[in-house]
Amino acid sequence: MPVINSTKTDPNKILPLHYPWARRHYKAGVANNWVPEEVSMQKDVEQWKSDHVITADERRMVLWNLGFFSTAESLTANNIVLAVYHHITAPEARQYLLRQAYEEAVHTDTFIYCCDTLGLDPDEIYTMYETIPSIKDKDAFVVSLTQSVFSPTFSTEGDDNVRKFLRDLVGFYVIMEGIFFYAGFAMMLAMRRQNKMVGIGEQFEFIMRDESIHLAFGCDLIQTIRAENPGVWTAAFEAEILSLIERAVDLEQRYAWDACPRGLLGINAEQFCQYVEHIADRRLERLDMPKRYGTPNPFPWMAQSVDLQKEKNFFETRVTEYQTGGALVWD
Ligand code: FE
Ligand code: MN
């Protein structure tokens, strides 16, 4: 009973489970439930409106990230619902996709909340994916990988089509959610470490926690399809996947330079670029491919900041933390 393409699978019959990993990711997502209004934007609003707390360079970095994420979340949601869901026949994997789609709605809501509270011009923020080339190029790249899957006549029958489908999954799960989100995560969490825009920083941290599960699901899905369709993952296909990831790293590094052209807060674009390479190697390992960069992680705190935040919330007895169990990997 394969995960895609099964005419034998009854999509309404989830038990007995065939793919326990899908169920595990679903439960992990539920355990992490949150909504943006739990995070106060009070301090962010004060800092944003003051003319001496947030510098022009920091403002640019915040705007670039809001510009990218505000539309990227919808792009991801549309891919799940309109391209991926239809072809995944395993009911437990579909259950996860429903959960993921909901989380993308929460993320979309987060950027509405940020725009509203900071009083940003939605016409500016929501057109940045068209007007800012470094953002537009990232979106155009993932969209180009998914074109064939979006066709109403597309089917996953045959090795060529399975490869097209895998290209979509690599494009959205590994590249979009696994690489293109991470320079932005590092930027906003770096600002929070300096006590700047801490509400947005906390929201980005919650989003990052969700995205780490999306990425884990995507990689399990890719690996399962690969195992169930042994002829598909050829050496030529693997070389193509590597070149896509290299291209993604290049685009993400351009984005990092564009969002942060001058160093600030004791950090700079070179470090964001190193971080992107470090992250790309982690993604390649997850696909059982050799590392490409060997770049050390310049931001070890990216993995730690979350635990500290949990403690802080615990002692303030604020209910922003719904995690009830399960060990998560944080990048
Ligand atoms: Fe998301
Ligand atoms: Mn996601």
Side-chain angles (χ1 to χ4, degrees):
M1 215 167 283
V3 74
I4 54 169
N5 246 343
S6 180
T7 49
K8 296 190 198 94
T9 305
D10 178 349
N12 302 316
K13 194 168 164 242
I14 197 165
L15 293 179
L17 291 177
H18 291 88
Y19 302 100
W21 50 266
R23 179 77 181 152
R24 209 168 48 239
H25 294 314
Y26 176 84
K27 297 305 268 183
V30 172
N32 284 343
N33 210 56
W34 69 286
V35 293
E37 287 81 1
E38 289 165 25
V39 179
S40 168
M41 289 289 288
Q42 185 64 41
K43 206 174 164 201
D44 299 54
V45 171
E46 283 165 21
Q47 292 182 336
W48 192 255
K49 299 221 159 127
S50 155
D51 55 10
H52 60 273
V53 180
I54 308 294
T55 67
D57 282 345
E58 289 165 349
R59 239 169 246 279
R60 178 186 177 100
M61 200 163 83
V62 172
L63 288 174
W64 255 239
N65 283 309
L66 294 179
F68 170 66
F69 279 93
S70 59
T71 41
E73 300 288 2
S74 300
L75 200 65
T76 309
N78 287 334
N79 184 60
I80 296 163
V81 174
L82 299 173
V84 177
Y85 191 92
H86 180 71
H87 300 289
I88 302 288
T89 41
E92 59 272 46
R94 283 191 164 182
Q95 185 192 34
Y96 181 78
L97 290 170
L98 293 172
R99 173 73 206 179
Q100 188 190 346
Y102 167 71
E103 288 170 10
E104 302 304 358
V106 171
H107 301 171
T108 301
D109 200 31
T110 304
F111 295 102
I112 296 174
Y113 180 57
C114 289
C115 272
D116 284 354
T117 51
L118 297 179
L120 302 175
D121 175 7
D123 281 332
E124 185 195 339
I125 299 295
Y126 283 84
T127 51
M128 285 177 80
Y129 83 115
E130 293 163 332
T131 58
I132 306 294
S134 67
I135 296 176
K136 186 180 181 177
D137 291 349
K138 293 206 292 180
D139 288 352
F141 182 59
V142 288
V143 168
S144 75
L145 297 176
T146 63
Q147 222 97 60
S148 42
V149 178
F150 262 97
S151 156
T153 57
F154 176 79
S155 102
T156 49
E157 293 291 337
D159 284 359
D160 269 351
N161 287 328
V162 173
R163 275 191 284 266
K164 282 179 185 160
F165 192 63
L166 285 170
R167 229 173 259 127
D168 176 293
L169 296 177
V170 169
F172 269 90
Y173 283 103
V174 179
I175 291 176
M176 183 62 134
E177 302 187 292
I179 294 175
F180 285 172
F181 281 12
Y182 275 77
F185 288 157
M187 287 177 197
M188 299 313 298
L189 293 184
M191 280 194 77
R192 195 184 71 178
R193 281 165 66 79
Q194 311 276 335
N195 256 319
K196 290 185 171 181
M197 306 307 280
V198 290
I200 295 189
E202 193 171 333
Q203 288 159 359
F204 267 68
E205 195 169 70
F206 283 129
I207 290 175
M208 184 168 81
R209 187 174 63 175
D210 295 341
E211 297 302 342
S212 70
I213 302 175
H214 301 176
L215 175 67
F217 170 85
C219 290
D220 284 338
L221 183 58
I222 289 165
Q223 296 287 44
T224 301
I225 294 170
R226 181 176 167 177
E228 290 176 348
N229 299 269
V232 165
W233 200 279
T234 59
F237 186 67
E238 181 160 310
E240 188 193 337
I241 296 299
L242 175 62
S243 76
L244 295 175
I245 288 175
E246 287 171 339
R247 172 96 180 112
V249 166
D250 183 50
L251 288 167
E252 187 63 354
Q253 291 179 333
R254 283 162 198 249
Y255 170 80
W257 274 105
D258 196 32
C260 180
R262 286 162 293 273
L264 49 96
L265 318 160
I267 47 169
N268 55 48
E270 275 103 346
Q271 288 169 299
F272 292 122
C273 291
Q274 289 166 6
Y275 184 64
V276 171
E277 292 179 358
H278 165 76
I279 283 297
D281 276 345
R282 301 286 306 275
R283 309 302 176 244
L284 287 166
E285 285 174 337
R286 199 71 172 71
L287 297 175
D288 291 330
M289 290 168 64
K291 283 199 245 178
R292 161 70 178 76
Y293 300 97
T295 312
N297 184 2
F299 304 135
W301 48 262
M302 279 292 283
Q304 297 154 5
S305 66
V306 171
D307 298 328
L308 298 174
Q309 190 62 22
K310 270 182 206 161
E311 242 169 68
K312 193 195 91 186
N313 290 342
F314 174 77
F315 289 115
E316 288 175 5
T317 61
R318 281 174 58 203
V319 190
T320 61
E321 183 49 73
Y322 285 75
Q323 174 71 51
T324 51
L328 294 177
V329 178
W330 280 98
D331 67 17

